């Protein structure tokens, strides 16, 4: 991109050191001004280094813009300040520099055309620039010497002429191409805003709010924009070349055709008689070649027909064999079914007696419980009487010792009342206890009935769901009589039709497959349930090749299945062949894997089941006991992780699961048998549902009866408790009355005697209740034993029915298997016979065609010829020969002319073919080179972006600012955020929110960072500090001077209206002050050099 190596801001200035060749006057600077000590040190140490090739030594303007004469201005080798008020000619100097070094008028932002730069009233304008031409980068130093003078003249008409002179003034060239070569050699880019930043461009960039504009500025400054335009131009040129190659290819075909035509004419100069003779011979060979080819076609047809007729007998034998097996299996199934129906009838006959025995046992149990309550009540009463007896005896003894006087009549009446109340309280408490026990019994009976009712409701719910499921399955089976696809859902045929229609319209890249269960068939129908339990949801799933096809299929499913569950979609790349599973599949000598038990014609379906379910590593073992033995032994089969029995049980190495499903819904072979089975099962379930309803009704009646009795007993118990409470209060009041002790003990003794008699009576009642309870217990145990024996008898019959059911299931599977094989061989025999008939008709037609061909061949050549060539090659040669003969007859021209035209056509064809070969080779090489350069371009862009960020952060840090620079090369944007002062990065704000001075300082930092990553011998900056305050101006000036001190092999030209009196003292800084413009007179303005 450039020829110079850049150096960072902090790099030590030890490059390209040269002695100063000429002394220049510099201006003195006020020593009282503030300056950076480090900057002053760098300025002082920089005097020994000068720039060499490409810098501007001087410039002179004559009749340029509004100035009659400016200059000559002599610039220093490093830092130059052109200062002056507005209108003094600063911008004119920069404009002249741009125009004289090849820039256009628009680049200066000072005019639309060159003629606008000629002073009013003058015929032309002249600009003279002297460029240094020393060092290793000098341009033709032997011709131009140590300097190159570029003289530019612009006429009033807008014409521009150049004169390139040597140091001595000798004219070397007047061509602009020579100037472009000089500029390329020095890497001078006046249109690059980083090399020459005009006042208008600076304002535009400073006020630009678009991130895209900043990115364009970066791309243009680093010449990446030019590189990209070059790549686009090369790509366009390549496309044009390819179009030309395509056109030349058509021309090449035409040239080849002409060459072949001329070659045919050239070869057709032979004798016509020889061609006629050869034509006749070829026609004879052609006739018999056709006969030979037809005979060869007939031979394999005859052999195939004979072989097919011989194999017909085998198909007949197979069909008859399986027909006999079907009849035998159906006969056996019918016998077992009749036996099962007999056992079922026997169980149904035993059920009523079992219910009666159960009810009797429950009735006797109820009596036993009531008797137990009576015994407990008697026992409690007896215990209370004994306690009263002991207390009364103690009372009498105490009275015998302490009472010396008899009580009055009032005291005796109170005692009698108290005894009567106590007797009534005892009776009431006994009644309350009895009522409480009755309440508990009724509550227990209600709870037991409700638990039984809840259990029956759950069983009834399960039964109803099973009935509904069987009804749906029955409906599906009935609809699948005409279409097996309906087993997988009522809407499945509509979905497949929609898929087929979408595939015809090209909406699918690959036609989806599904449902997967519809695309597989069983080798052994007995394993249908096991395979169905194994594959589960995969049977109704679909598979797609890519995600675009999956989205199309989802839309079709949403349309066909507006509600309810939709089939699963499996997305996997379609392959034309089945996976090689030999390394990970299970191979057992006795039992097949799921993959081996299936017939799958489509490799896509097989691969999907292998990937999703691993069917190559799952064994199928019919007997569940044998399956457990094989899988749970010490050495299970290699590569096998699970197995399934024919009942659907899933067996792992350390556990097993029983299948909930009892019959296959999707893979069963005989639809009619499945329909009959579902009808029988639904009838049995309906009968069971009726029995459930009857039992539920009886339980409801029992619950209502017990709850009514419980409520009545509650009311009676509450009334009794209230009465007992009143008596207890009365008794308490009587006991609290103080009275003298009575000496008459007769009432107490009578009470004692009465208690003794009650104890005797209650003990007799207790013994009688115990005897009755023992009798009831024996009666209950007998009834319970009879019920259990009858129940055991029913269970025995039911177990016998289970074994018969299992045998019936096996026989059913055997019938399905035999029917499947019978149907399979019948279909194969029918297809075989149809193929024989088709082959016979085709053979008969071919033989007739053969006879016709033989007759025609004998007419052409009576004697049969042995032909080795094909009829097609002979026909092609005959046609060419006929064309030759016709052409030679019609166009028999001059022999020399034919030979000349032939050689001319051959030469033209060879030349064009060679050119095409070279062009194709060039295009191929260009593609390779461009691919490599585009990669390098992207890497260079990333590298320059990273360096620009680094230098930008460094520049901001000198002011104490923080900021970020974000490149988005994809969207071509550059986002710059700056935070003045110390702050978090979260506080970073866009440059638009900054003040004018802060934004100008940030812009200077950005420009300096671009300086650090781009190369040019000189850099010009016009009014860079116009919007800065004093602080930012001083900091920006210090930064630019530091950059200049670190890059002393470059020249810097700064244009500013400021006085620059505060600059540090340095030999590398030159200030050119322009006189203020004379608004009243058009006097010639001249500059004066002042020492710094």
């Amino acid at each position: 991109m450039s020829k110079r190596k850049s150096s960072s801001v902090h790099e030590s200035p030890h490059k390209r050191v040269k002695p100063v060749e000429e002394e220049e006057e510099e201006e003195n600077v006020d020593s009282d001004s503030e300056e950076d000590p480090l900057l002053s040190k760098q300025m002082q140490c920089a005097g020994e280094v000068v720039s060499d090739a490409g810098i501007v030594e001087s410039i002179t303007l004559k009749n340029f813009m509004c100035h009659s004469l400016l200059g000559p201005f002599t610039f220093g080798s490093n830092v130059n300040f052109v200062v002056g008020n507005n209108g003094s000619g600063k911008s004119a100097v920069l404009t002249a520099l741009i125009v004289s070094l090849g820039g256009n008028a628009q680049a200066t932002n000072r005019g639309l055309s060159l003629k606008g730069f000629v002073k009013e009233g003058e015929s032309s304008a002249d600009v003279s620039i002297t460029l240094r031409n020393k060092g290793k980068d000098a341009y033709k130093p032997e011709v131009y010497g140590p300097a190159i003078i570029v003289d530019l003249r612009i006429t009033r008409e807008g014409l521009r002429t150049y004169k390139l002179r040597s140091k001595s003034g000798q004219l070397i060239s007047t061509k602009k191409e020579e100037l472009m070569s000089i500029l390329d050699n020095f890497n001078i880019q006046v249109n690059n805003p980083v090399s020459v930043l005009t006042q208008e461009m600076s304002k535009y960039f400073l006020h630009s709010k678009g991130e895209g504009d900043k990115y364009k500025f970066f791309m243009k400054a680093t010449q990446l924009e030019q590189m990209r335009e070059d790549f686009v131009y090369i790509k366009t040129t390549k496309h044009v070349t390819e179009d030309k190659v395509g056109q030349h290819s058509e021309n090449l075909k035409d040239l080849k055709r002409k060459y072949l035509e001329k070659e045919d004419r050239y070869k057709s100069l032979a004798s016509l008689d020889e061609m006629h003779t050869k034509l006749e011979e070829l026609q004879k060979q052609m006739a018999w070649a056709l006969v030979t080819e037809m005979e060869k076609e007939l031979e394999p047809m005859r052999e195939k027909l004979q072989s097919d007729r011989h194999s017909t007998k085998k198909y007949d034998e197979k069909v008859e064999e399986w027909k006999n097996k079907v009849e035998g299996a159906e006969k056996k199934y019918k016998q077992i079914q009749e036996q099962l129906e007999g056992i079922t009838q026997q169980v149904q006959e035993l059920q009523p007696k079992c219910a009666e025995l159960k009810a009797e046992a429950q009735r006797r149990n109820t009596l036993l419980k009531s008797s137990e309550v009576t015994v407990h009540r008697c026992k409690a009463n007896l215990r209370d009487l004994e306690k009263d007896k002991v207390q009364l005896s103690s009372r009498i003894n105490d009275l015998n010792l302490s009472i010396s006087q008899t009580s009055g009549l009032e005291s005796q009446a109170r005692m009698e009342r108290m005894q009567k109340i106590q007797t009534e309280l005892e009776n009431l408490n006994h009644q309350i206890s009895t009522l409480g026990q009755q309440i508990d019994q009724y509550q227990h009976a209600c709870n037991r009935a409700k638990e039984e009712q809840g259990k029956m409701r759950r069983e009834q719910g399960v039964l109803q769901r099973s009935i509904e499921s069987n009804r749906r399955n029955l409906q599906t089976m009935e609809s699948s009589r005409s279409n097996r696809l309906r087993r997988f859902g009522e809407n499945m045929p509509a979905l497949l039709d929609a898929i087929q229609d979408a595939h015809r319209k090209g909406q699918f890249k690959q036609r989806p497959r599904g449902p997967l269960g519809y695309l597989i068939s069983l080798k052994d129908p007995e394993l249908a349930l096991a395979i169905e339990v194994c594959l589960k949801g995969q049977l109704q799933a679909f598979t797609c090749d890519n995600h675009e096809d999956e989205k199309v299929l989802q839309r079709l499913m949403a349309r066909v299945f507006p509600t309810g569950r939709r089939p699963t979609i499996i997305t996997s790349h379609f392959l034309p062949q089945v996976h090689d599973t030999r390394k990970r599949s299970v191979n057992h000598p006795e039992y097949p894997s799921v993959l081996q038990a299936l017939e799958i014609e489509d490799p896509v379906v097989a691969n999907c089941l292998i990937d999703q379910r691993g069917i190559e590593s799952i064994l199928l073992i019919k007997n569940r006991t044998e399956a457990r033995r094989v899988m749970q032994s010490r050495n299970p089969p290699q590569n096998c992780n699970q197995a399934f029995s024919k009942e659907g049980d899933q067996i792992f190495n350390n556990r097993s699961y029983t299948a909930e499903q009892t019959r296959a819904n999707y893979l069963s072979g005989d639809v009619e048998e499945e329909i009959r089975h579902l009808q029988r099962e639904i009838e049995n379930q309906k009968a069971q549902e009726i029995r459930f309803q009857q039992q539920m009704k009886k339980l409801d009646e029992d619950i209502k009866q017990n709850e009514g009795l419980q409520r009545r007993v509650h009311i009676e118990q509450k009334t009794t408790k209230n009465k007992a409470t009143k008596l207890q209060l009365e008794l308490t009041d009587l006991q609290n009355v103080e009275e003298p002790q009575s000496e008459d003990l007769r009432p107490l003794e009578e009470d004692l005697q009465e208690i003794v008699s009650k104890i005797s009576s209650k003990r007799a009642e207790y013994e009688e209740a115990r005897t009755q309870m023992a009798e009831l217990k024996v009666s209950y145990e007998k009834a319970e034993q009879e019920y259990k024996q009858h129940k055991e008898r029913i269970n025995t019959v039911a177990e016998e029915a289970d074994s018969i059911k299992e045998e019936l299931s096996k026989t059913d599977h055997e019938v399905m298997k035999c029917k499947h094989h019978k149907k399979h061989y019948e279909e194969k025999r029918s297809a075989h016979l149809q193929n024989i008939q088709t082959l016979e008709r085709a053979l008969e037609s071919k033989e007739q065609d053969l006879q016709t061909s033989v007759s025609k061949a004998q007419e052409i050549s009576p004697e049969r010829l042995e032909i080795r060539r094909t009829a097609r090659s002979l026909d092609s040669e005959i046609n060419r020969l006929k064309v030759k003969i016709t052409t030679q007859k019609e166009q028999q021209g001059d022999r020399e002319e034919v030979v000349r035209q032939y050689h001319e056509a051959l030469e033209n064809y060879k030349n064009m073919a060679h050119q095409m070969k070279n062009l194709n080779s060039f295009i191929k090489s260009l593609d390779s080179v461009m691919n490599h350069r585009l990669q390098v371009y992207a890497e260079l862009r990333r590298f320059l972006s990273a360096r620009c960020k680094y230098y930008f952060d460094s520049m901001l840090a000198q002011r104490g600012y923080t900021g970020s620079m974000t490149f988005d090369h994809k969207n071509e944007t550059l986002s710059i955020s700056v935070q003045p002062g110390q702050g978090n990065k979260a506080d970073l704000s866009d440059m638009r929110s900054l003040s004018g001075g802060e934004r100008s300082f940030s812009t200077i930092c950005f420009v300096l960072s671009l300086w650090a990553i781009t190369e040019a011998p000189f850099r010009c900056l016009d009014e860079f500090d116009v919007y800065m305050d004093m602080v930012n101006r001083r900091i920006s000036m210090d930064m630019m001077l530091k950059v200049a001190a670190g890059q002393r092999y470059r020249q810097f030209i700064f244009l500013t209206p400021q006085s620059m009196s505060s600059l540090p003292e340095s030999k590398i800084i030159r200030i050119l002050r322009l006189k203020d413009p004379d608004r009243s007179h058009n006097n010639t303005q001249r500059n004066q050099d002042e020492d710094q």
Side-chain angles (χ1 to χ4, degrees), residues 754-883:
E754 184 179 357
I755 289 173
V756 171
S757 62
K758 284 183 179 181
I759 289 174
S760 301
S761 174
K762 190 60 68 176
R763 184 172 283 111
E765 183 182 352
Y766 171 69
E767 293 297 333
E768 183 181 356
R770 284 185 60 189
T771 304
Q772 185 180 2
M773 184 184 70
E775 292 174 354
L776 289 174
K777 185 174 182 181
V778 172
S779 175
Y780 165 70
E781 289 176 351
K782 182 179 179 182
E784 183 70 17
Q785 184 66 26
E786 289 179 0
Y787 166 69
K788 288 182 178 179
Q789 290 176 356
H790 198 78
K791 185 70 174 177
E792 187 67 28
R793 184 180 174 188
I794 293 175
N795 291 338
T796 304
V797 176
E799 289 176 359
E800 183 180 353
D802 290 340
S803 62
I804 294 176
K805 284 181 181 178
E806 184 174 358
E807 186 177 357
L808 182 65
S809 177
K810 291 180 181 178
T811 309
D812 186 24
H813 280 296
E814 185 65 27
V815 171
M816 291 172 57
K817 177 180 177 182
C818 294
K819 286 183 178 180
H820 174 77
H821 284 288
K822 174 176 170 289
K823 183 179 179 182
H824 172 71
Y825 284 110
E826 284 177 346
E827 291 175 352
K828 292 190 73 173
R829 181 179 66 176
S830 177
H832 178 71
L833 293 175
Q834 189 175 357
N835 289 338
I836 290 176
Q837 292 175 1
T838 304
L839 191 58
E840 287 175 346
R841 289 194 296 268
L843 182 61
E844 184 179 355
S845 176
K846 287 285 185 182
E847 287 177 345
Q848 291 176 359
D849 293 342
L850 176 61
Q851 292 300 325
T852 303
S853 296
V854 170
S855 300
K856 290 181 180 180
Q858 288 176 348
E859 291 176 1
I860 297 173
S861 175
E863 184 179 355
R864 179 160 184 163
L865 302 177
E866 293 295 331
I867 308 301
R868 295 182 180 179
R869 296 176 61 183
T870 62
R872 186 175 181 181
S873 65
L874 289 170
D875 183 60
S876 177
E877 187 173 355
I878 288 171
N879 290 334
R880 285 201 304 270
L881 191 56
K882 285 180 179 180
V883 172

Side-chain angles (χ1 to χ4, degrees), residues 431-574:
Q431 186 178 355
I432 291 171
S433 176
T434 303
L435 292 173
Q437 292 173 357
Q438 290 179 0
I439 290 172
D440 292 339
Q441 289 177 359
Y442 293 139
Q443 183 65 38
H444 181 68
C446 287
N447 292 339
R448 189 166 61 248
K450 288 180 180 179
E451 289 176 0
E452 185 70 21
Q453 196 176 43
K455 181 179 179 183
M456 291 186 67
R457 280 201 185 95
R458 291 192 293 272
E459 293 177 358
Q460 189 176 15
V462 173
L463 181 62
Q464 288 175 349
R465 288 193 294 273
S466 178
I467 292 173
E468 187 62 29
S469 175
N470 286 333
R471 281 177 179 168
R472 288 195 300 269
N473 293 337
L474 179 60
Q475 185 179 0
T476 302
M477 286 293 178
E478 289 175 346
S479 62
S480 67
R481 283 172 171 166
S482 58
N483 189 354
R484 176 172 168 262
L485 188 60
R486 292 186 181 275
R487 287 196 187 186
F488 299 90
E490 192 66 27
N491 296 328
M492 199 61 72
L495 177 59
L496 286 191
D497 291 341
I499 291 173
Q500 196 67 28
D501 184 55
H503 182 59
R504 282 196 302 270
K505 294 179 181 177
Q507 296 179 11
F508 290 111
K509 296 180 181 178
Q510 292 282 347
R511 180 177 60 83
R513 309 297 201 272
L516 300 181
Y518 182 68
L519 301 176
I520 64 176
S521 57
L522 307 178
K523 295 180 180 179
D524 187 355
E526 195 172 351
L527 296 173
L529 178 59
I531 294 177
E532 190 166 313
V533 173
C534 173
L535 298 182
K536 295 180 181 176
Q538 275 87 9
L539 293 174
Q540 291 180 290
F542 282 74
T543 179
C544 290
D545 175 69
N546 53 77
H547 291 288
E548 288 77 9
D549 289 353
E550 179 187 356
K551 293 178 181 178
V552 176
L553 182 56
Q554 284 177 346
R555 290 196 295 268
L556 294 179
M557 286 185 177
R559 190 176 66 201
V560 177
F561 296 90
T563 59
R565 186 176 180 183
R566 300 174 187 171
T568 305
I569 300 176
I570 301 167
T571 303
S572 179
H573 181 59
F574 289 177

Side-chain angles (χ1 to χ4, degrees), residues 159-201:
L159 298 178
R160 176 166 49 182
T161 57
Y162 288 99
K163 291 182 180 180
L164 304 177
R165 303 178 185 276
S166 64
K167 175 70 174 178
S168 61
Q170 180 182 357
L171 179 63
I172 304 299
S173 176
T174 60
K175 296 180 179 180
K176 188 176 181 180
E177 290 77 10
E178 180 72 6
L179 176 62
M180 293 298 103
S181 299
I182 294 172
L183 297 178
D184 288 341
N185 182 77
F186 293 154
N187 197 29
I188 296 174
Q189 309 162 26
V190 292
N191 289 328
N192 191 333
V194 174
S195 296
V196 179
L197 185 61
T198 64
Q199 183 177 351
E200 294 299 325
M201 178 60 72

